[in-house]
Amino acid sequence: MAWIRETVRSLLRDRLLDTAGELVAAEGFDRLRMTQVAAVAGVSRQTVYNEFGSKDALGEALFGRELERCLLGIRQHLDAHRADPRAAAEAAALFTLRLAGSNPLARAMLTAARDGEDGLLAHLTTRAEPVFETASAMLDAYAAEVWPAIDPASRALAADTVVRLTASHVVQGAATPEDSARRIAEVFVRVADLTG
């Protein structure tokens, strides 16, 4: 019986996050209201508060889910080029940059600052350290498994550098995603000392 309760709760949480994501993409995080999420999802406002506690917690859960989806996509793109670290880094960076440009929620986050809103953008700027740590740890662990010949210190530095550089290109990219991805891949192979 407990598994049924957990399944129902998981489905409810997903529905609330889906609803919040659609509303944020359409109107921005600062305009999001818990009552609006409840009404669109077809539940009571108290249900939304019981699940998330606050609007900030809802935003954090929404951002966390998008980050998880992004990391899964990065892993798939790395896996497609396991034999070539440069190609793997380029494919993963290009995936991330294109996702940031095409995902409605990501676009809403990135354009919020232009409209004078803080919203979810803080997760990539002022409160980004947990994101960087998670992504860097994932990339470092992947490289250790797939390319064990890379020196551990160089590997960790390369992973952290590439994550931060990619985030910078996501937030303020001036070049095309393709050019940025090539540059990011070049940084990865040089910092990981794979050029020789």
Side-chain angles (χ1 to χ4, degrees):
M1 206 57 164
W3 67 271
I4 293 175
R5 202 170 21 257
E6 285 303 312
T7 300
V8 168
R9 182 163 186 230
S10 178
L11 291 171
L12 171 65
R13 186 176 182 84
D14 284 343
R15 187 167 90 208
L16 295 174
L17 288 172
D18 289 344
T19 300
E22 290 168 9
L23 292 169
V24 169
E27 301 175 19
F29 185 72
D30 285 357
R31 292 188 192 102
L32 182 71
R33 301 290 174 259
M34 299 292 262
T35 54
Q36 184 185 26
V37 173
V40 173
V43 299
S44 71
R45 183 176 66 116
Q46 190 58 49
T47 299
V48 180
Y49 277 101
N50 288 346
E51 189 61 38
F52 296 104
S54 69
K55 179 181 167 182
D56 284 341
L58 172 61
E60 193 169 311
L62 187 59
F63 184 83
R65 184 173 77 161
E66 291 305 308
L67 176 61
E68 184 177 310
R69 289 176 175 174
C70 182
L71 292 177
L72 287 172
I74 288 169
R75 175 75 190 227
Q76 291 171 343
H77 283 78
L78 290 169
D79 280 341
H81 302 280
R82 291 172 75 95
D84 184 348
R86 180 189 302 267
E90 185 173 336
L94 184 57
F95 163 77
T96 305
L97 295 169
R98 285 181 174 164
L99 179 67
S102 66
N103 180 299
L105 181 58
R107 274 199 315 271
M109 287 171 48
L110 296 172
T111 59
R114 290 184 217 141
D115 298 333
E117 299 176 7
D118 180 16
L120 296 174
L121 185 61
H123 290 286
L124 285 178
T125 55
T126 59
R127 293 185 287 169
E129 207 53 43
V131 173
F132 292 152
E133 289 173 7
T134 300
S136 296
M138 185 275 294
L139 185 55
D140 184 42
Y142 183 89
E145 174 192 331
V146 177
W147 307 304
I150 300 175
D151 167 68
S154 296
R155 184 187 68 231
L157 181 60
D160 186 60
T161 301
V162 165
V163 166
R164 292 173 187 277
L165 184 57
T166 302
S168 176
H169 279 263
V170 164
V171 175
Q172 300 176 347
T176 66
E178 293 78 12
D179 286 342
S180 293
R182 276 192 292 279
R183 291 177 186 167
I184 291 166
E186 183 65 23
V187 168
F188 177 75
V189 297
R190 287 178 184 255
V191 174
D193 197 22
L194 297 170
T195 57

XYZ file of all heavy atoms in Angstrom, residues 121-191:
530
model
N 17.164 32.618 -12.264
C 18.502 32.868 -12.787
C 19.566 32.783 -11.697
O 20.702 32.407 -11.958
C 18.565 34.230 -13.481
C 19.881 34.574 -14.171
C 20.184 33.564 -15.281
C 19.845 35.972 -14.729
N 19.186 33.092 -10.475
C 20.141 33.044 -9.373
C 20.775 31.662 -9.224
O 21.898 31.540 -8.757
C 19.463 33.439 -8.058
N 20.070 30.616 -9.657
C 20.633 29.269 -9.571
C 21.825 29.088 -10.512
O 22.607 28.150 -10.347
C 19.567 28.213 -9.861
C 18.547 28.098 -8.777
N 18.810 27.500 -7.572
C 17.270 28.534 -8.703
C 17.733 27.554 -6.807
N 16.786 28.180 -7.474
N 21.963 29.970 -11.504
C 23.124 29.927 -12.389
C 24.114 31.047 -12.102
O 25.165 31.107 -12.713
C 22.685 30.036 -13.856
C 22.056 28.803 -14.471
C 21.640 29.097 -15.907
C 23.017 27.630 -14.439
N 23.764 31.947 -11.185
C 24.652 33.073 -10.907
C 25.018 33.109 -9.426
O 25.980 32.485 -9.016
C 24.003 34.397 -11.381
O 22.710 34.522 -10.760
C 23.847 34.427 -12.898
N 24.238 33.793 -8.614
C 24.617 34.006 -7.219
C 24.494 32.778 -6.330
O 25.166 32.691 -5.305
C 23.780 35.148 -6.607
O 22.396 34.818 -6.698
C 24.052 36.455 -7.312
N 23.645 31.820 -6.693
C 23.496 30.591 -5.888
C 23.895 29.365 -6.696
O 23.344 28.296 -6.531
C 22.048 30.448 -5.410
C 21.644 31.523 -4.420
C 20.269 31.279 -3.885
N 19.278 31.591 -4.910
C 17.996 31.291 -4.842
N 17.518 30.655 -3.806
N 17.172 31.612 -5.807
N 24.878 29.522 -7.556
C 25.217 28.465 -8.511
C 26.170 27.400 -7.977
O 26.335 26.358 -8.603
C 25.818 29.086 -9.775
N 26.796 27.631 -6.856
C 27.832 26.693 -6.398
C 27.352 25.247 -6.312
O 28.059 24.345 -6.768
C 28.427 27.165 -5.074
C 29.844 26.694 -4.869
C 30.783 27.020 -6.023
O 30.748 28.130 -6.558
O 31.571 26.128 -6.392
N 26.167 24.950 -5.751
C 25.724 23.551 -5.742
C 25.553 22.969 -7.150
O 25.833 21.793 -7.380
C 24.372 23.606 -5.014
C 24.426 24.848 -4.198
C 25.258 25.814 -4.982
N 25.119 23.799 -8.095
C 24.973 23.348 -9.480
C 26.345 23.014 -10.049
O 26.541 21.953 -10.655
C 24.284 24.427 -10.343
C 24.281 24.031 -11.810
C 22.882 24.680 -9.842
N 27.299 23.909 -9.856
C 28.649 23.671 -10.365
C 29.266 22.432 -9.733
O 29.902 21.624 -10.415
C 29.545 24.887 -10.117
C 29.178 26.096 -10.924
C 29.455 27.359 -10.446
C 28.552 25.988 -12.153
C 29.129 28.490 -11.182
C 28.214 27.106 -12.900
C 28.502 28.363 -12.418
N 29.079 22.282 -8.430
C 29.639 21.116 -7.738
C 29.037 19.821 -8.264
O 29.758 18.842 -8.500
C 29.416 21.236 -6.234
C 30.271 22.293 -5.579
C 29.919 22.521 -4.125
O 29.088 21.772 -3.568
O 30.492 23.459 -3.529
N 27.734 19.792 -8.460
C 27.061 18.593 -8.964
C 27.523 18.255 -10.365
O 27.889 17.109 -10.663
C 25.529 18.786 -8.947
O 25.113 19.041 -7.607
C 24.803 17.570 -9.495
N 27.517 19.243 -11.248
C 27.906 19.007 -12.640
C 29.389 18.648 -12.739
O 29.768 17.734 -13.490
C 27.592 20.237 -13.487
N 30.235 19.335 -11.988
C 31.673 19.039 -12.010
C 31.952 17.638 -11.492
O 32.774 16.905 -12.069
C 32.452 20.059 -11.181
O 32.346 21.338 -11.740
N 31.283 17.249 -10.411
C 31.474 15.905 -9.859
C 31.034 14.837 -10.854
O 31.709 13.811 -11.002
C 30.707 15.765 -8.545
N 29.914 15.079 -11.534
C 29.444 14.116 -12.531
C 30.447 13.980 -13.661
O 30.813 12.881 -14.064
C 28.079 14.547 -13.087
C 27.434 13.549 -14.046
S 27.915 13.633 -15.805
C 27.267 15.190 -16.306
N 30.936 15.109 -14.179
C 31.888 15.075 -15.283
C 33.219 14.463 -14.855
O 33.811 13.667 -15.588
C 32.095 16.485 -15.835
C 32.978 16.618 -17.072
C 32.493 15.730 -18.212
C 33.031 18.068 -17.519
N 33.681 14.790 -13.660
C 34.937 14.237 -13.151
C 34.825 12.720 -12.983
O 35.722 11.973 -13.387
C 35.288 14.901 -11.819
C 36.635 14.451 -11.285
O 37.594 14.336 -12.075
O 36.727 14.227 -10.060
N 33.718 12.255 -12.415
C 33.519 10.810 -12.236
C 33.432 10.108 -13.592
O 33.983 9.010 -13.769
C 32.254 10.543 -11.421
N 32.763 10.736 -14.534
C 32.660 10.149 -15.873
C 34.048 10.014 -16.507
O 34.411 8.966 -17.021
C 31.764 11.022 -16.763
C 31.567 10.423 -18.135
C 30.517 9.545 -18.376
C 32.434 10.721 -19.181
C 30.341 8.970 -19.617
C 32.258 10.151 -20.426
C 31.212 9.280 -20.647
O 31.042 8.704 -21.880
N 34.826 11.107 -16.462
C 36.164 11.082 -17.054
C 37.059 10.054 -16.371
O 37.855 9.375 -17.028
C 36.785 12.477 -16.988
N 36.933 9.916 -15.048
C 37.742 8.924 -14.323
C 37.417 7.518 -14.785
O 38.311 6.670 -14.922
C 37.503 9.053 -12.821
N 36.145 7.268 -15.051
C 35.714 5.941 -15.494
C 36.106 5.668 -16.944
O 36.626 4.601 -17.273
C 34.193 5.837 -15.353
C 33.598 4.556 -15.922
C 32.081 4.630 -16.018
O 31.456 5.341 -15.216
O 31.540 3.964 -16.909
N 35.891 6.633 -17.815
C 36.049 6.413 -19.257
C 37.469 6.699 -19.737
O 37.969 6.018 -20.624
C 35.020 7.262 -20.035
C 35.196 7.107 -21.532
C 33.602 6.855 -19.633
N 38.122 7.697 -19.156
C 39.481 8.067 -19.552
C 40.402 8.023 -18.335
O 40.892 9.048 -17.855
C 39.484 9.463 -20.186
C 38.488 9.595 -21.300
C 38.389 8.823 -22.425
C 37.424 10.547 -21.397
N 37.344 9.240 -23.213
C 36.733 10.301 -22.608
C 36.992 11.593 -20.587
C 35.640 11.049 -23.013
C 35.907 12.340 -20.980
C 35.235 12.076 -22.184
N 40.651 6.841 -17.797
C 41.402 6.716 -16.544
C 42.854 7.194 -16.632
O 43.479 7.427 -15.602
C 41.336 5.215 -16.237
C 41.076 4.562 -17.549
C 40.268 5.541 -18.351
N 43.397 7.358 -17.831
C 44.780 7.803 -17.964
C 44.971 9.278 -17.631
O 46.095 9.728 -17.402
C 45.276 7.536 -19.395
N 43.894 10.039 -17.570
C 44.018 11.465 -17.237
C 44.415 11.594 -15.770
O 43.821 10.979 -14.887
C 42.694 12.218 -17.497
C 42.275 12.119 -18.963
C 42.823 13.686 -17.085
C 40.906 12.735 -19.245
N 45.423 12.404 -15.515
C 45.863 12.688 -14.158
C 44.679 13.202 -13.336
O 43.950 14.098 -13.795
C 46.972 13.750 -14.224
C 47.288 14.336 -12.865
O 47.821 13.603 -12.015
O 46.966 15.531 -12.663
N 44.424 12.651 -12.139
C 43.259 13.056 -11.342
C 43.155 14.556 -11.070
O 42.065 15.130 -11.135
C 43.412 12.271 -10.039
C 44.195 11.058 -10.441
C 45.144 11.540 -11.507
N 44.274 15.221 -10.784
C 44.226 16.668 -10.519
C 43.852 17.434 -11.783
O 43.023 18.358 -11.743
C 45.562 17.150 -9.967
N 44.442 17.053 -12.905
C 44.114 17.708 -14.185
C 42.667 17.438 -14.566
O 41.969 18.332 -15.054
C 45.037 17.196 -15.300
O 46.370 17.540 -15.034
N 42.225 16.232 -14.325
C 40.846 15.839 -14.666
C 39.842 16.661 -13.865
O 38.886 17.207 -14.409
C 40.667 14.349 -14.384
C 39.321 13.802 -14.792
C 39.141 12.368 -14.329
N 39.052 12.335 -12.876
C 39.786 11.541 -12.095
N 40.650 10.696 -12.602
N 39.644 11.576 -10.782
N 40.062 16.781 -12.560
C 39.146 17.540 -11.709
C 39.135 19.017 -12.098
O 38.072 19.646 -12.159
C 39.529 17.383 -10.237
N 40.308 19.569 -12.377
C 40.399 20.966 -12.802
C 39.704 21.173 -14.146
O 38.972 22.152 -14.334
C 41.864 21.397 -12.879
C 42.116 22.850 -13.281
C 41.473 23.806 -12.291
C 43.625 23.101 -13.383
N 39.908 20.241 -15.073
C 39.267 20.344 -16.395
C 37.745 20.272 -16.269
O 37.023 21.040 -16.911
C 39.778 19.247 -17.313
N 37.254 19.367 -15.452
C 35.805 19.228 -15.271
C 35.210 20.508 -14.705
O 34.213 21.024 -15.226
C 35.497 18.042 -14.354
N 35.817 21.040 -13.658
C 35.298 22.262 -13.035
C 35.369 23.446 -14.001
O 34.418 24.223 -14.119
C 36.084 22.577 -11.759
C 35.490 23.749 -11.001
O 34.312 23.654 -10.592
O 36.194 24.759 -10.836
N 36.480 23.558 -14.719
C 36.652 24.661 -15.665
C 35.616 24.608 -16.773
O 35.005 25.621 -17.118
C 38.076 24.628 -16.256
O 39.027 24.745 -15.190
C 38.288 25.740 -17.264
N 35.405 23.430 -17.331
C 34.457 23.281 -18.436
C 33.026 23.561 -17.979
O 32.253 24.198 -18.699
C 34.599 21.874 -19.065
C 33.434 21.538 -19.951
C 35.892 21.801 -19.851
N 32.671 23.118 -16.796
C 31.321 23.381 -16.281
C 31.106 24.882 -16.123
O 30.089 25.437 -16.565
C 31.089 22.635 -14.951
C 29.851 23.155 -14.234
C 30.968 21.135 -15.211
N 32.052 25.570 -15.509
C 31.906 27.010 -15.286
C 31.941 27.794 -16.602
O 31.186 28.759 -16.779
C 32.985 27.512 -14.325
C 32.788 26.985 -12.923
C 33.947 27.349 -11.988
N 33.793 26.690 -10.716
C 33.030 27.138 -9.717
N 32.357 28.251 -9.864
N 32.951 26.472 -8.586
N 32.784 27.367 -17.516
C 32.866 28.031 -18.814
C 31.576 27.835 -19.612
O 31.070 28.773 -20.239
C 34.072 27.485 -19.595
C 34.380 28.130 -20.936
C 34.598 29.635 -20.790
C 35.615 27.467 -21.545
N 31.033 26.639 -19.575
C 29.771 26.375 -20.268
C 28.648 27.220 -19.676
O 27.862 27.827 -20.414
C 29.416 24.874 -20.219
O 30.483 24.124 -20.811
C 28.128 24.589 -20.983
N 28.584 27.304 -18.358
C 27.559 28.136 -17.711
C 27.717 29.592 -18.121
O 26.733 30.288 -18.381
C 27.633 27.994 -16.197
N 28.952 30.050 -18.221
C 29.197 31.420 -18.650
C 28.687 31.644 -20.075
O 28.055 32.661 -20.365
C 30.702 31.717 -18.574
O 30.975 33.004 -19.070
N 28.933 30.692 -20.947
C 28.447 30.800 -22.330
C 26.922 30.718 -22.388
O 26.306 31.349 -23.244
C 29.083 29.721 -23.210
C 30.454 30.070 -23.678
N 30.709 30.619 -24.906
C 31.651 29.957 -23.060
C 32.010 30.830 -25.038
N 32.608 30.435 -23.933
N 26.332 29.945 -21.488
C 24.871 29.859 -21.444
C 24.282 31.218 -21.077
O 23.345 31.701 -21.704
C 24.398 28.776 -20.437
C 22.932 28.944 -20.092
C 24.648 27.386 -21.008
N 24.854 31.857 -20.058
C 24.303 33.112 -19.551
C 24.668 34.296 -20.445
O 23.835 35.167 -20.689
C 24.774 33.367 -18.099
C 24.318 34.724 -17.598
C 24.246 32.272 -17.190
N 25.897 34.327 -20.966
C 26.349 35.506 -21.693
C 26.981 35.187 -23.036
O 27.800 35.962 -23.527
C 27.373 36.266 -20.861
C 26.848 36.735 -19.541
C 27.915 37.410 -18.710
O 29.097 37.330 -18.998
N 27.498 38.089 -17.662
N 26.635 34.076 -23.636
C 27.287 33.662 -24.870
C 27.145 34.668 -25.999
O 26.053 35.114 -26.318
N 28.275 35.041 -26.576
C 28.260 35.949 -27.718
C 28.484 35.183 -29.017
O 28.035 35.607 -30.072
C 29.332 37.019 -27.551
N 29.181 34.059 -28.933
C 29.468 33.251 -30.118
C 28.306 32.289 -30.376
O 27.404 32.141 -29.555
C 30.757 32.470 -29.912
N 28.347 31.616 -31.522
C 27.336 30.609 -31.813
C 27.552 29.423 -30.883
O 28.666 29.212 -30.377
C 27.431 30.117 -33.265
O 28.673 29.408 -33.427
C 27.334 31.263 -34.257
N 26.520 28.619 -30.646
C 26.715 27.420 -29.814
C 27.819 26.513 -30.359
O 28.595 25.953 -29.583
C 25.349 26.736 -29.860
C 24.385 27.844 -30.086
C 25.106 28.813 -30.991
N 27.901 26.401 -31.673
C 28.928 25.543 -32.272
C 30.334 26.062 -31.983
O 31.229 25.290 -31.607
C 28.701 25.422 -33.792
C 27.433 24.684 -34.173
C 26.149 25.500 -34.039
O 26.218 26.753 -33.851
O 25.068 24.909 -34.093
N 30.553 27.373 -32.164
C 31.870 27.956 -31.873
C 32.199 27.850 -30.388
O 33.331 27.525 -30.017
C 31.921 29.425 -32.300
C 32.004 29.600 -33.811
O 32.368 28.627 -34.507
O 31.690 30.702 -34.290
N 31.221 28.136 -29.559
C 31.441 28.032 -28.115
C 31.791 26.606 -27.718
O 32.708 26.378 -26.923
C 30.201 28.494 -27.351
O 29.986 29.867 -27.539
N 31.073 25.625 -28.265
C 31.328 24.220 -27.930
C 32.735 23.807 -28.355
O 33.419 23.083 -27.619
C 30.278 23.324 -28.586
N 33.180 24.267 -29.515
C 34.545 23.952 -29.961
C 35.574 24.541 -28.992
O 36.554 23.881 -28.642
C 34.783 24.482 -31.378
C 34.302 23.555 -32.469
C 34.814 23.961 -33.844
N 34.232 25.208 -34.312
C 33.022 25.304 -34.869
N 32.278 24.234 -35.019
N 32.571 26.474 -35.278
N 35.352 25.771 -28.564
C 36.289 26.421 -27.638
C 36.300 25.704 -26.287
O 37.355 25.511 -25.676
C 35.899 27.885 -27.447
C 36.123 28.723 -28.677
C 35.648 30.130 -28.466
N 35.734 30.902 -29.691
C 35.171 32.071 -29.861
N 34.482 32.627 -28.887
N 35.296 32.710 -31.005
N 35.135 25.352 -25.822
C 35.033 24.646 -24.536
C 35.748 23.301 -24.611
O 36.473 22.914 -23.685
C 33.553 24.496 -24.134
C 32.972 25.874 -23.778
C 33.388 23.515 -22.972
C 31.450 25.924 -23.693
N 35.581 22.590 -25.717
C 36.264 21.302 -25.893
C 37.779 21.492 -25.922
O 38.527 20.686 -25.351
C 35.782 20.628 -27.179
N 38.232 22.553 -26.552
C 39.671 22.840 -26.602
C 40.208 23.109 -25.200
O 41.284 22.619 -24.835
C 39.942 24.038 -27.524
C 41.404 24.368 -27.690
C 42.210 23.287 -28.403
O 41.624 22.471 -29.151
O 43.436 23.249 -28.206
N 39.467 23.848 -24.413
C 39.883 24.101 -23.028
C 39.961 22.783 -22.262
O 40.924 22.534 -21.527
C 38.912 25.091 -22.340
C 39.144 25.132 -20.835
C 39.037 26.481 -22.953
N 38.951 21.922 -22.453
C 38.950 20.636 -21.747
C 40.218 19.830 -22.062
O 40.894 19.369 -21.147
C 37.706 19.823 -22.084
C 37.696 18.466 -21.452
C 37.420 18.342 -20.097
C 38.016 17.325 -22.173
C 37.436 17.091 -19.484
C 38.043 16.086 -21.564
C 37.755 15.967 -20.213
N 40.532 19.657 -23.339
C 41.690 18.803 -23.681
C 43.003 19.436 -23.240
O 43.935 18.730 -22.863
C 41.720 18.413 -25.174
C 40.502 17.582 -25.551
C 41.852 19.611 -26.076
N 43.066 20.763 -23.250
C 44.318 21.415 -22.808
C 44.480 21.326 -21.293
O 45.553 20.995 -20.799
C 44.359 22.863 -23.264
C 44.617 22.991 -24.755
C 44.605 24.428 -25.196
N 44.767 24.520 -26.627
C 45.901 24.902 -27.217
N 46.962 25.214 -26.494
N 45.967 24.957 -28.531
N 43.421 21.604 -20.548
C 43.533 21.547 -19.090
C 43.730 20.099 -18.623
O 44.470 19.837 -17.688
C 42.298 22.193 -18.415
C 42.324 22.004 -16.907
C 42.223 23.676 -18.755
